[in-house]
């Protein structure tokens, strides 16, 4: 099948081309992201393949459909950037990669926690400059600390298991509690208790209308002074302005982000010679106790290989008229909205 691959980086090309030896699709790679201004590139392509920051709103989908596109193949799990209801109305099929390597994201989450706590980034620079002073590098034992995990799906579950190994106390929240995790020693509580009792809070739920700005000034007020907040899920789970205020007042003692609400203007590009216009993002970078990575939690060879395999298999299922287990159905959308 002829597929227009948008937001294509060298690593996307490498893993998709290698996996495509087994599938034989005609892949054409485009560096720009897909939005209303770039739909023209997909003219006469029956399938487009997109990533997290491609914007497939109703207008873009309409334009794609008029050009002959029938399949939207997401090479990611989250689908908040695609208006699936509009796509379905237009007779388009949307498929995704629901799971690739939850370990990749979970392990990156732990990396952020350890780096913020033990300040590896500062220690690395100090030692290279011959500065062996320990002033300002004081950390804390993770053992026996209380970690609150919001969202106990595939990634949240692995984060829990790793933290259990550190000897942490686990408070968790999910719309659909899983009794297996209580056997692991995690305790399901309501959000106010999780906010009140946690030393570290890590977000692993999807972005829905219910979770939009889940961490706002009211939520932050309920939290412990000096807590550590980690977000490797979706940027808009956090109200960035409220978080900056909480950093200034020292309510938040450590902040680790792999995602950012306005990341589509920044992430995945080399902007090192540009003047960044996003003042909120720039303010975040001024805090010594903030670490930001540019949506790289998924970025392992294992994950990229799995993403390529599943994406191409989804496209083959569609092309051959087979049922695709990774199709996003309207029932899933209704479930998300019910949850909202
Ligand atoms: P999952 O679907 O396995 O788990 C999500 C969990 O969140 C489910 O248990 C669900 O019941 C729960 N949930 C839904 N609404 C909720 C709410 N309102 N409050 C609390 N819990 C709620 O998803 P998975 O694979 O664990 O991924 C989690 C998130 O991680 C994804 O939604 C995605 O946004 C993000 N992600 C980030 C990546 C990165 O590179 N930074 C890569 C992959 C995923």
């Amino acid at each position: 099948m002829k597929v227009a691959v948008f937001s294509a980086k060298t690593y996307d090309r490498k893993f998709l081309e290698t996996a495509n030896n087994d599938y034989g699709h005609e892949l054409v790679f485009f560096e720009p992201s897909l939005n209303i201004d770039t739909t023209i590139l997909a003219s006469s392509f029956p399938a487009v393949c997109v990533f997290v920051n491609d914007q497939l709103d109703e207008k873009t989908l309409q334009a794609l459909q008029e050009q002959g596109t029938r399949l939207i193949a997401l090479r990611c799990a989250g689908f908040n950037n695609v208006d699936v209801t509009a796509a379905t109305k237009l007779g388009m099929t949307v498929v995704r990669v629901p799971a690739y390597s939850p370990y990749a994201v979970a392990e990156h989450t732990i990396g952020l926690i350890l780096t913020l706590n033990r300040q590896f980034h500062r220690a690395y620079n100090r030692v290279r400059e011959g500065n062996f002073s320990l002033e300002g590098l004081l950390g804390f034992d993770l053992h026996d600390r209380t970690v609150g995990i919001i969202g106990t799906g595939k990634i949240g579950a692995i984060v829990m298991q790793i933290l259990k190994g550190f000897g942490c106390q686990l408070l968790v929240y999910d719309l659909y509690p899983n009794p297996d995790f209580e056997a692991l020693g995690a305790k399901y509580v309501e959000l106010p208790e999780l906010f009140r009792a946690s030393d570290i809070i890590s977000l692993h739920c999807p972005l829905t209308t219910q979770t939009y700005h889940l961490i706002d000034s009211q939520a932050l007020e309920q939290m412990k002074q000096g807590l550590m907040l980690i977000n490797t899920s979706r940027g808009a789970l956090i109200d960035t302005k409220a978080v900056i205020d909480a950093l200034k007042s020292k309510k938040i003692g450590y902040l680790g982000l792999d995602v950012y609400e306005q990341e589509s203007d920044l992430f995945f590009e080399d902007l090192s010679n540009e003047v960044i216009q996003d003042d909120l993002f720039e303010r975040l970078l001024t805090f010594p106790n903030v670490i930001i990575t540019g949506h790289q939690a998924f970025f392992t060879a294992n994950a990229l290989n799995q993403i390529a395999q599943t994406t191409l298999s989804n496209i083959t299922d569609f092309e051959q008229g087979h049922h695709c287990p990774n199709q996003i159905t309207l029932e899933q959308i209704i479930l998300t909205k019910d949850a909202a």
Side-chain angles (χ1 to χ4, degrees):
M1 194 167 195
K2 207 172 154 201
V3 187
V5 183
F6 281 86
S7 301
K9 303 290 181 200
T10 49
Y11 45 84
D12 294 309
R13 183 186 279 261
K14 178 179 158 205
F15 281 89
L16 281 166
E17 279 179 344
T18 304
N20 198 34
N21 288 331
D22 296 335
Y23 292 91
H25 295 295
E26 188 186 333
L27 305 178
V28 180
F29 295 91
F30 295 104
E31 269 185 46
S33 58
L34 179 56
N35 55 47
I36 189 64
D37 299 325
T38 54
T39 47
I40 189 73
L41 294 171
S43 188
S44 82
F45 280 82
V48 295
C49 177
V50 296
F51 195 49
V52 290
N53 288 330
D54 295 295
Q55 294 303 327
L56 287 94
D57 54 17
E58 189 170 2
K59 244 169 128 184
T60 306
L61 289 164
Q62 176 86 48
L64 286 170
Q65 197 251 16
E66 283 166 11
Q67 291 179 173
T69 298
R70 296 285 171 269
L71 176 69
I72 313 293
L74 285 153
R75 47 183 197 279
C76 54
F79 50 90
N80 51 289
N81 55 330
V82 181
D83 185 340
V84 181
T85 312
T88 310
K89 274 192 204 141
L90 289 163
M92 299 165 107
T93 300
V94 186
V95 293
R96 65 173 178 142
V97 184
Y100 29 97
S101 174
Y103 298 99
V105 183
E107 289 167 12
H108 191 85
T109 302
I110 303 299
L112 287 175
I113 293 174
L114 289 172
T115 305
L116 282 165
N117 177 17
R118 306 306 296 269
Q119 309 201 42
F120 295 140
H121 54 308
R122 297 178 72 198
Y124 172 82
N125 285 321
R126 278 194 195 184
V127 170
R128 285 174 71 90
E129 287 177 10
N131 174 0
F132 304 104
S133 163
L134 299 181
E135 294 293 342
L137 299 184
L138 192 65
F140 57 85
D141 287 5
L142 278 174
H143 180 81
D144 229 14
R145 289 288 167 147
T146 300
V147 184
I149 293 170
I150 302 179
T152 57
K154 290 178 285 297
I155 295 168
I158 296 165
V159 171
M160 255 190 273
Q161 282 161 5
I162 299 173
L163 289 174
K164 192 71 200 157
F166 279 103
C168 296
Q169 307 294 327
L170 301 172
L171 293 180
V172 297
Y173 173 78
D174 196 298
L175 296 179
Y176 307 99
N178 180 340
D180 292 350
F181 299 139
E182 287 183 314
L184 189 79
K187 187 175 167 206
Y188 277 97
V189 292
E190 291 303 317
L191 279 179
E193 186 180 346
L194 186 148
F195 289 156
R196 189 180 47 73
S198 300
D199 301 298
I200 300 172
I201 294 179
S202 192
L203 307 178
H204 300 290
C205 55
L207 176 63
T208 65
T209 43
Q210 189 186 23
T211 59
Y212 174 77
H213 286 189
L214 178 73
I215 307 300
D216 60 7
S217 54
Q218 281 173 337
L220 286 159
E221 257 170 44
Q222 301 170 55
M223 295 178 192
K224 277 192 184 179
Q225 189 70 19
L227 94 148
M228 182 188 292
L229 178 65
I230 307 286
N231 185 11
T232 58
S233 269
R234 283 294 178 266
L237 295 178
I238 281 183
D239 175 351
T240 310
K241 275 195 185 128
V243 159
I244 288 173
D245 287 343
L247 282 159
K248 286 162 80 178
S249 70
K250 301 193 177 164
K251 172 65 108 175
I252 295 181
Y254 312 80
L255 177 69
L257 302 179
D258 185 53
V259 286
Y260 173 64
E261 188 166 2
Q262 307 303 333
E263 69 177 49
S264 57
D265 296 334
L266 302 170
F267 287 3
F268 307 120
E269 303 304 330
D270 178 0
L271 303 180
S272 52
N273 289 317
E274 310 279 326
V275 175
I276 294 190
Q277 300 296 330
D278 184 331
D279 291 347
L280 283 184
F281 188 78
E282 289 298 290
R283 182 68 181 102
L284 280 176
L285 294 180
T286 65
F287 294 98
N289 50 351
V290 173
I291 291 189
I292 305 178
T293 52
H295 208 138
Q296 77 170 81
F298 74 100
F299 198 57
T300 65
N302 312 60
L304 289 193
N305 182 39
Q306 190 59 51
I307 288 170
Q309 293 286 348
T310 307
T311 300
L312 297 173
S313 158
N314 288 343
I315 294 169
T316 299
D317 281 344
F318 176 82
E319 185 179 32
Q320 297 181 349
H322 295 155
H323 165 72
C324 176
N326 300 323
Q327 180 171 348
I328 305 173
T329 61
L330 273 184
E331 286 75 39
Q332 279 171 293
I333 304 298
I334 291 161
L335 208 69
T336 312
K337 286 209 170 119
D338 280 350

